[in-house]
Amino acid sequence: MSCCSKRKDDATGGKDDGLRPAGFIPIDAWRWRTGAQKVPSRIEHLNKEWLTEALRLKGHLTPDGRVTSVEVRPIGEGLGMMADMALLHLTLEGALPGAPHRMVAKFAPQKQDKLPKFIVKFQLRNEAHFYNDFTVSSGGLPRPACYLAAERRRAKPTFLMLLEIVDDAVTYTRIGGCDEAEHLGRAVGALGGLHCRWWNHPRKAPLQWALHPHQGLGRVLFSRQYFAYSLSKALRAMRAWEPETFAPLLDWSDLLTRAAPLVVTQCTTPPFTLVHGDAHLDNIFFADRFPGGCAFIDHANMMLAKPLLDVAFFLGTCYRLQPCGGEAATPCVSQRLQPHACPV
C-alpha cells in the first residue's frame, strides 16, 4: 500500500457491520503515523495536546473540547511486565457523555531486551486488534473498555492502548488461588462464550491477525521440534530452580517427552477457535457490572487454537480440588461450559 493511499475504512466509524465499536479506526491507520496524531512511543511523550486530538477523534470530546491537564503516574515498573504502563488522570473541557477522566496507558516496552522485536510486535498487535476491532459483545469475551488502540508502524514496536481503570472488582492471583466456585464458573463460562463465538472461524477478516497452527508463524510454534525444545528448556529450568516444588512434573519428564508427538497432533487437529492464550487468575476481574460477572485483560497471546488449551491452562493454574466453602468446583465449571457446547 502506498504511503499516500487511504484504507477503505481508515476513518472514524469504519464499516457498519455490527462488529465495530463507535468511532472505529484501524489500529494501523495512516493518521497514527504522522502529524499531530502520531502515536507517542514513550510515557513521557504523552501530553494534553496529543490526548486532546485523540479524544476528539474518538468522539469523547466536542470539536472544541480539550484536555486541560493530565497527571501521569508510571505503574508496574520492575514487575516483569511486557509493557510500559501509566495511570492517567485527565481534566476535560467539552467532555461528551461517557468520556473517560481516568485510564491506563499501555505502551510497547522501550527497554525490552529479553524478547525479539517481532514477538513484541506480534503480541501487542494481537491485543490492540482485539480491544479495538470489536465491541465487547461482538468480540465474545468480556473485557474492560478500550478508549483507543493504535500502532505506529516502524522498526521499533510502537503501540499505545488507553484502557478503562478497573478498581471496583474482586481479584485473585495464581499464587493465592481462588476458593470461590462461583468465580471459577464465571471465568470458564466466559471462555466458553469466546470459543463458541469464533468456533471454526478461518484466519480471515476480522481475525486475519490471529496466529493459526497451520499457517505462517503458527506452523513453527506448533511444530514437534519447537514443542520438544520448549519442553526440554522448561524441564531444565524446573530442575535448576525449585526441584522439590516441581517434583511431580519432573517425575513425569520421560512420559512427557515420549508423549510430545501425540500432544502436538492433538493441538494441531481441527476444530479451532479463538482462544485467550493466557487465561489465569491474575488476568481476570470479577464484578457484577461486567457481562457474565467477569472481565479478561492481557490479550497478547490470542490465537486460533484448540479451546481446551484455555480451559486446561486456567484450571491448571488456579484449581483447588475442594474450595474452602465446601462446594465442589467441578460441577460448577462443567455447568458453565454446557450452554456454550459447539458441534465438532
Side-chain angles (χ1 to χ4, degrees), residues 153 206 210 304 324:
R153 292 291 182 97
L304 292 164
C324 293

Side-chain angles (χ1 to χ4, degrees), residues 7 9 15 19-20 24 26-28 122 125-126 129 133-134 153 198 201-212 215 274 304:
R7 292 173 53 130
D9 55 353
K15 299 177 181 178
L19 292 174
R20 310 302 192 193
F24 169 74
I27 66 167
D28 58 349
F122 166 75
R125 192 169 290 153
N126 281 355
H129 271 297
D133 294 1
F134 311 107
R153 292 291 182 97
W198 298 106
H201 197 287
R203 192 184 181 218
K204 296 180 180 179
L207 297 182
Q208 73 281 1
W209 46 270
L211 181 145
H212 189 287
Q215 301 175 33
L274 189 65
L304 292 164

Side-chain angles (χ1 to χ4, degrees), residues 43 73-87 104-115 120 123-124 127 131 161 163 174 278 280 282-283 285 297-300:
I43 292 174
R73 181 164 65 86
I75 57 174
E77 294 177 299
L79 298 179
M81 300 175 70
M82 200 197 74
D84 295 340
M85 301 179 68
L87 292 178
V104 175
K106 186 172 185 177
F107 291 82
Q110 296 302 301
K111 298 180 180 180
Q112 175 61 262
D113 55 2
K114 296 181 180 179
L115 290 174
V120 175
Q123 292 190 318
L124 289 179
E127 182 163 38
Y131 271 123
M161 287 168 268
L163 307 171
R174 284 173 288 181
D278 199 18
H280 58 75
D282 300 80
N283 285 339
F285 295 115
I297 60 171
D298 286 356
H299 307 290

